[in-house]
C-alpha cells in the first residue's frame, strides 16, 4: 500500500510556488503527492514531476468537472467542452507522471437539479466515458471516477451504482475512486461497498467523516483496510481533506470551521494512523490464513 496527500489541503491551484511543500510531505512519511488542478493551460507539469522525483515522491493527479462543464448534458456543445477538458487532463496526468486521473467526472460538482438522474443522462455518461478510452490507452493513464455524496451530486452516489457504471463501460482503463468520506454517507458499510466494487477500485481517497484527521472520527478503518486487502488492492491511499482557509475549496466543500489544530496535522498525524491501520489489517489477514 502506498500513501499520498492531496494538495487541496493547502491550495486549489498547485504550482511552482508550492514546491516547498514537497519536502514537508516527504518528511511526514508519505510515498507520494496528489496534485490537484482545475485548469491545465500553462501548468508546469514536467517541472513539478521533476521536483517531486527529486524529493523521492511519486505523483498522482486529480481534478473535477465544475461550472457548467458536464459529460451528461443534453447540450452537445457542453459535452464537447467536457470531453476536451477530460482529454487535456489525461494528457496532463501523463505529463506529470501520474498513472491515474482521478475525480468526479460525470456532472459538475455541486450541480443539483432537484430530481433523480434520467436514463438518458446515464447513457450519455457511459457513452462519453467509453469515448475517452482511446486517449487513456494512448497515454497509459487509468481514469478513476469518483462517486460523491447526495449533497454534491445527483448522478453517482453509491458503490453499487459505481460498479454498474464500470460494468456498462467495460474498459480496463476506467475504474472507480473510492472515497471513505462519501461512502460513510451513502453506503451501508464501507467494507461491503469495497468488496462490491472488487477489481473496479482504481484509487482510494481516505478522509474522516468530518474531513478531519483520519482515525479521529467514526469511519470504520479496520473494515476499510480489510476489504481492500480482500479484493487485492495494494495501490494508493491518499488523504483528501481541505484547508478551511482555501476560500474556493472551503466554499465548494462547505468547510466552515477548522477541521484540526493545523492543516499540517491532518497530513502528518493522518498518515501515521493510516499506516498503522493498514498494517494491522494485513497482519490480521495473514494470521487468519495460517
Amino acid at each position: 500500500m502506498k500513501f499520498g496527500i492531496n494538495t487541496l489541503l493547502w491550495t486549489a491551484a498547485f504550482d511552482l510556488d508550492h514546491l516547498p511543500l514537497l519536502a514537508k510531505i516527504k518528511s511526514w512519511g508519505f510515498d507520494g503527492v496528489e496534485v490537484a488542478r482545475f485548469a491545465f493551460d500553462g501548468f508546469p507539469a514536467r517541472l513539478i514531476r521533476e521536483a517531486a522525483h527529486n524529493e523521492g515522491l511519486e505523483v498522482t493527479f486529480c481534478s473535477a468537472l465544475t461550472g457548467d462543464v458536464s459529460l451528461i448534458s443534453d447540450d452537445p456543445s457542453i459535452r464537447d467542452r467536457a470531453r476536451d477538458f477530460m482529454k487535456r487532463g489525461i494528457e496532463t496526468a501523463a505529463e506529470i507522471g501520474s498513472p491515474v486521473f482521478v475525480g468526479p467526472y460525470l456532472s459538475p460538482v455541486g450541480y443539483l437539479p432537484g430530481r433523480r438522474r434520467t436514463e438518458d443522462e446515464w447513457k450519455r455518461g457511459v457513452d462519453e466515458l467509453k469515448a475517452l478510452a482511446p486517449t487513456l490507452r494512448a497515454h497509459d493513464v487509468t481514469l478513476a471516477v469518483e462517486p460523491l455524496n447526495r449533497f454534491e451530486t445527483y448522478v453517482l452516489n453509491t458503490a453499487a451504482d459505481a460498479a454498474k457504471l464500470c460494468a456498462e463501460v467495460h474498459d480496463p482503463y476506467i475504474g472507480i475512486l473510492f472515497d471513505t468520506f462519501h461512502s460513510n454517507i451513502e453506503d451501508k458499510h464501507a467494507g461491503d461497498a469495497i468488496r462490491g466494487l472488487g477489481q473496479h477500485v482504481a484509487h482510494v481517497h481516505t478522509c474522516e467523516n468530518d474531513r478531519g484527521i483520519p482515525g479521529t472520527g467514526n469511519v470504520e478503518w479496520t473494515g476499510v483496510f480489510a476489504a481492500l486487502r480482500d479484493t487485492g488492492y495494494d495501490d494508493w491511499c491518499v488523504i483528501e481533506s481541505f484547508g478551511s482557509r482555501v476560500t474556493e475549496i472551503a466554499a465548494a466543500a462547505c468547510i466552515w470551521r477548522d477541521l484540526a489544530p493545523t492543516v499540517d496535522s491532518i497530513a502528518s498525524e493522518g498518515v501515521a494512523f493510516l499506516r498503522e491501520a493498514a498494517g494491522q489489517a494485513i497482519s490480521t489477514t495473514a494470521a487468519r490464513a495460517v
Side-chain angles (χ1 to χ4, degrees), residues 37-73:
R37 287 284 300 195
F38 302 98
F40 311 126
D41 290 345
F43 178 57
R46 290 188 182 277
L47 292 176
I48 292 170
R49 177 180 184 171
E50 271 182 37
H53 177 77
N54 291 340
E55 291 292 347
L57 293 168
E58 297 179 53
V59 181
T60 56
F61 193 56
C62 88
S63 190
L65 297 185
T66 59
D68 66 347
V69 180
S70 174
L71 286 175
I72 65 169
S73 172

Side-chain angles (χ1 to χ4, degrees), residues 73-219:
S73 172
D74 59 3
D75 184 334
S77 66
I78 291 177
R79 295 201 305 277
D80 287 347
R81 284 195 291 116
R83 198 180 312 117
D84 289 344
F85 175 89
M86 294 296 295
K87 288 180 177 179
R88 187 70 185 97
I90 293 163
E91 292 165 359
T92 304
E95 191 176 3
I96 208 171
S98 174
V100 291
F101 183 46
V102 311
Y105 292 135
L106 290 178
S107 172
V109 178
Y111 174 62
L112 300 169
R115 58 169 174 78
R116 297 184 181 196
R117 68 174 187 248
T118 66
E119 290 185 11
D120 285 343
E121 286 173 326
W122 181 264
K123 184 178 183 305
R124 284 193 288 268
V126 169
D127 290 345
E128 291 294 344
L129 290 178
K130 286 181 177 179
L132 292 172
T135 305
L136 292 164
R137 276 182 173 73
H139 294 281
D140 197 23
V141 169
T142 295
L143 186 70
V145 182
E146 181 179 21
L148 302 179
N149 70 76
R150 72 192 72 182
F151 307 109
E152 297 182 37
T153 187
Y154 70 111
V155 180
L156 188 67
N157 303 126
T158 66
D161 269 1
K164 176 187 174 188
L165 180 73
C166 286
E168 293 187 23
V169 173
H170 194 60
D171 192 284
Y173 276 86
I174 298 173
I176 296 300
L177 161 55
F178 179 84
D179 186 302
T180 59
F181 173 81
H182 298 296
S183 179
N184 190 62
I185 297 171
E186 296 297 340
D187 297 313
K188 297 294 187 185
H189 186 276
D192 290 345
I194 291 167
R195 290 184 182 90
L197 285 167
Q199 297 303 306
H200 295 311
V201 178
H203 199 67
V204 174
H205 274 176
T206 56
C207 191
E208 199 46 82
N209 67 286
D210 64 347
R211 292 249 185 235
I213 302 169
T216 62
N218 64 26
V219 171

